[in-house]
Protein backbone atom coordinates (compact mmCIF):
# COMPACT_ATOMS: atom_id res chain seq x y z
CA UNK A 1 0.00 0.00 0.00
CA UNK A 2 2.82 2.43 0.75
CA UNK A 3 4.17 2.03 -2.76
CA UNK A 4 0.80 3.02 -4.23
CA UNK A 5 0.64 6.04 -1.92
CA UNK A 6 4.07 7.15 -3.13
CA UNK A 7 2.94 7.08 -6.75
CA UNK A 8 -0.11 9.19 -5.92
CA UNK A 9 2.10 11.84 -4.33
CA UNK A 10 4.37 12.20 -7.38
CA UNK A 11 2.12 14.72 -9.19
CA UNK A 12 1.81 16.72 -5.97
CA UNK A 13 5.58 16.63 -5.55
CA UNK A 14 6.10 17.89 -9.12
CA UNK A 15 3.63 20.73 -8.55
CA UNK A 16 5.55 21.76 -5.44
CA UNK A 17 8.85 21.61 -7.30
CA UNK A 18 7.46 23.85 -10.05
CA UNK A 19 6.15 26.26 -7.41
CA UNK A 20 9.51 26.43 -5.64
CA UNK A 21 11.46 26.87 -8.87
CA UNK A 22 9.27 29.82 -9.81
CA UNK A 23 10.51 31.56 -6.63
CA UNK A 24 14.18 31.19 -7.57
CA UNK A 25 16.04 34.30 -8.64
CA UNK A 26 18.00 33.13 -11.68
CA UNK A 27 21.24 34.76 -12.78
CA UNK A 28 21.31 36.71 -16.00
CA UNK A 29 23.37 35.43 -18.92
CA UNK A 30 25.97 38.15 -18.31
CA UNK A 31 26.28 37.29 -14.62
CA UNK A 32 26.64 33.60 -15.44
CA UNK A 33 29.37 34.27 -18.00
CA UNK A 34 31.23 36.62 -15.65
CA UNK A 35 31.13 34.22 -12.71
CA UNK A 36 32.11 31.29 -14.93
CA UNK A 37 35.09 33.30 -16.14
CA UNK A 38 36.10 34.03 -12.56
CA UNK A 39 35.91 30.34 -11.64
CA UNK A 40 38.00 29.35 -14.66
CA UNK A 41 40.58 32.07 -13.96
CA UNK A 42 40.94 31.09 -10.30
CA UNK A 43 41.24 27.42 -11.28
CA UNK A 44 44.03 28.24 -13.74
CA UNK A 45 45.88 30.34 -11.15
CA UNK A 46 45.65 27.55 -8.57
CA UNK A 47 46.76 24.95 -11.14
CA UNK A 48 49.80 27.07 -12.09
CA UNK A 49 50.67 27.63 -8.43
CA UNK A 50 50.48 23.90 -7.65
CA UNK A 51 52.50 23.08 -10.77
CA UNK A 52 55.23 25.52 -9.71
CA UNK A 53 55.32 23.97 -6.23
CA UNK A 54 55.46 20.46 -7.68
CA UNK A 55 58.26 21.39 -10.07
CA UNK A 56 60.19 23.13 -7.29
CA UNK A 57 59.89 20.24 -4.86
CA UNK A 58 60.85 17.76 -7.57
CA UNK A 59 64.01 19.73 -8.41
CA UNK A 60 64.86 20.09 -4.70
CA UNK A 61 64.52 16.34 -4.22
CA UNK A 62 66.74 15.66 -7.26
CA UNK A 63 69.42 17.98 -5.87
CA UNK A 64 69.10 16.68 -2.32
CA UNK A 65 69.18 12.99 -3.22
Amino acid sequence: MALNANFKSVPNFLKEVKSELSKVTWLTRQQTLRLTGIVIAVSVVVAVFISILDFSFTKMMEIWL
Side-chain angles (χ1 to χ4, degrees):
M1 282 192 216
L3 184 60
N4 194 15
N6 287 338
F7 282 118
K8 288 181 180 178
S9 66
V10 169
N12 188 34
F13 171 76
L14 294 176
K15 286 178 188 174
E16 290 178 15
V17 168
K18 184 177 178 182
S19 172
E20 290 298 319
L21 285 176
S22 69
K23 298 175 187 177
V24 173
T25 303
W26 298 98
L27 296 176
T28 64
R29 179 176 173 85
Q30 183 146 2
Q31 289 172 323
T32 303
L33 291 174
R34 182 176 53 88
L35 292 174
T36 300
I38 291 170
V39 168
I40 291 171
V42 169
S43 298
V44 168
V45 168
V46 170
V48 168
F49 178 72
I50 291 173
S51 297
I52 291 170
L53 285 177
D54 180 51
F55 180 78
S56 300
F57 289 140
T58 301
K59 288 299 176 185
M60 286 187 333
M61 292 303 291
E62 287 175 0
I63 292 170
W64 192 29
L65 298 175

